[in-house]
Amino acid sequence: MNMKNMTKFIDNVKTSLPSCRVDTLSKEAALELVPGLCVSFDTTFYMPEALNIQSQNYLQALFWSCENLVAESSTFDSGKKLLQLHRRPVGRLSEFEGEYDAVILCLGAKVNMLPEFSGRLPLRTCRGVIAHLELPDDTSEGFPERGPSILSDAWIAVQSPRELHVGSTWEWKSSNSSPYVSPDEASSALSELLPKASAIYPRIMNWDFTGARAGLRAMPPLTSHGSLPLLGCINNIMEGNQTCKYWLFGGLGARGLLYHGWLGNLLAHAVLSSNEGLIPSELTSWKNTTQFLDFK
């Protein structure tokens, strides 16, 4: 939408990984993909292999994948392995003591609900609202059947030719983690999102609002390396002697899908070897912040 971002995108395309296909299209080629698209420059970027991912479905599939992996490894190895999902309320981390060798906290924005962490982590909370839109029944011309989703000042995630999701707002310092969106909040979100979405896809003004959903992000601090997630062993903040080792995996913000696989692998190796040094120091440097050290 502006020359500064356009220049960055062009540079990124030149250095992108071969496995991440990015095509550079002219305005005319972009209009063939999405008729009615409004592009500011004569260059657009198209990722033909990109996907929309519904995080809840993805996490469920990821858990099933882990179950299958455990079952397969038990078949080939002499020792039997077991993966189970337990649901129970936990008031303090010390409740895990004596029961586990290691505990990894991945609570997102709700990590501050644990008394051991309240106010101690350099996280910035941010509430985001997504608007759901549908094409009216009396309108025949929907979004192209194979048309791509759109990423601009606002993003448009295509669910079907007659259903779109538009996001997202950014309400900093919010502590509201409820997915429920009140009529007033929905109206405010629409007034913020629609001008941004219509600037790139004007026809969206013909679509009807059908609902909204919200979530709370836990954004990491901004450092000289960028906004990086928080990883590392946290036993030094626990009281008493611990037989269990506690680890944090948080602050992924709006980049969870980008980071979680790679960082999960790094953290798993660090946990199994009890060696925090396997994690890049940029991801553990948050433990040296004044906010964290003052509580120690």
Side-chain angles (χ1 to χ4, degrees):
M1 300 298 289
N2 60 64
M3 185 54 70
K4 179 182 176 181
N5 287 340
M6 177 64 68
T7 303
K8 285 185 177 180
F9 270 112
I10 291 173
D11 290 341
N12 286 340
V13 169
K14 291 177 181 176
T15 58
S16 64
L17 297 173
S19 58
C20 181
R21 180 182 165 191
V22 185
D23 296 340
T24 303
L25 303 182
S26 66
K27 181 184 293 188
E28 290 72 22
L31 285 169
E32 288 182 15
L33 281 174
V34 183
L37 199 66
C38 183
V39 233
S40 303
F41 301 95
D42 190 42
T43 303
T44 59
F45 304 98
Y46 174 46
M47 301 177 70
E49 297 168 356
L51 298 171
N52 285 331
I53 295 180
Q54 300 224 10
S55 56
Q56 200 63 44
N57 294 345
Y58 172 76
L59 290 172
Q60 182 66 72
L62 191 61
F63 186 77
W64 288 337
S65 178
C66 290
E67 284 185 314
N68 292 336
L69 191 63
V70 169
E72 290 171 6
S73 64
S74 295
T75 302
F76 295 108
D77 298 342
S78 56
K80 184 174 177 60
K81 297 182 177 69
L82 185 64
L83 175 69
Q84 288 184 313
L85 176 64
H86 298 273
R87 297 182 184 272
R88 77 181 198 204
V90 176
R92 300 186 69 88
L93 288 179
S94 55
E95 295 179 27
F96 291 115
E97 198 61 39
E99 190 174 356
Y100 295 95
D101 298 315
V103 170
I104 303 172
L105 300 176
C106 350
L107 294 175
K110 293 189 176 182
V111 69
N112 280 322
M113 293 177 65
L114 286 171
E116 292 93 340
F117 282 105
S118 181
R120 305 177 74 158
L121 297 175
L123 293 173
R124 303 170 294 155
T125 55
C126 180
R127 180 171 168 85
V129 175
I130 294 171
H132 298 179
L133 304 177
E134 289 184 4
L135 203 60
D137 293 337
D138 58 359
T139 305
S140 58
E141 187 179 2
F143 202 81
E145 183 71 40
R146 298 185 178 276
S149 295
I150 301 170
L151 179 61
S152 186
D153 283 350
W155 50 257
I156 302 174
V158 181
Q159 309 299 303
S160 75
R162 305 188 70 84
E163 183 183 3
L164 304 174
H165 292 174
V166 181
S168 169
T169 61
W170 295 76
E171 182 189 347
W172 291 99
K173 297 183 179 179
S174 173
S175 58
N176 182 4
S177 61
S178 171
Y180 171 75
V181 178
S182 69
D184 286 346
E185 187 180 22
S187 176
S188 176
L190 270 179
S191 65
E192 179 181 341
L193 293 172
L194 282 182
K196 294 179 180 179
S198 62
I200 189 76
Y201 186 59
R203 294 180 184 180
I204 204 168
M205 301 303 293
N206 299 326
W207 294 58
D208 289 338
F209 170 73
T210 59
R213 190 171 177 84
L216 191 65
R217 312 175 184 93
M219 305 297 293
L222 183 61
T223 70
S224 58
H225 300 289
S227 296
L228 301 180
L230 314 183
L231 272 72
C233 181
I234 53 173
N235 275 52
N236 58 335
I237 73 164
M238 304 293 294
E239 297 177 356
N241 297 320
Q242 301 94 34
T243 57
C244 176
K245 209 151 190 179
Y246 298 89
W247 301 77
L248 177 69
F249 184 26
L252 276 69
R255 300 288 180 264
L257 284 170
L258 177 67
Y259 281 126
H260 77 288
W262 172 53
L263 295 185
N265 188 44
L266 279 177
L267 186 60
H269 282 89
V271 171
L272 290 172
S273 61
S274 294
N275 181 8
E276 189 183 59
L278 296 178
I279 302 172
S281 59
E282 294 88 347
L283 303 176
T284 59
S285 61
W286 62 272
K287 297 199 290 182
N288 299 321
T289 61
T290 303
Q291 180 177 351
F292 188 71
L293 292 173
D294 280 350
F295 279 91
K296 284 171 64 180

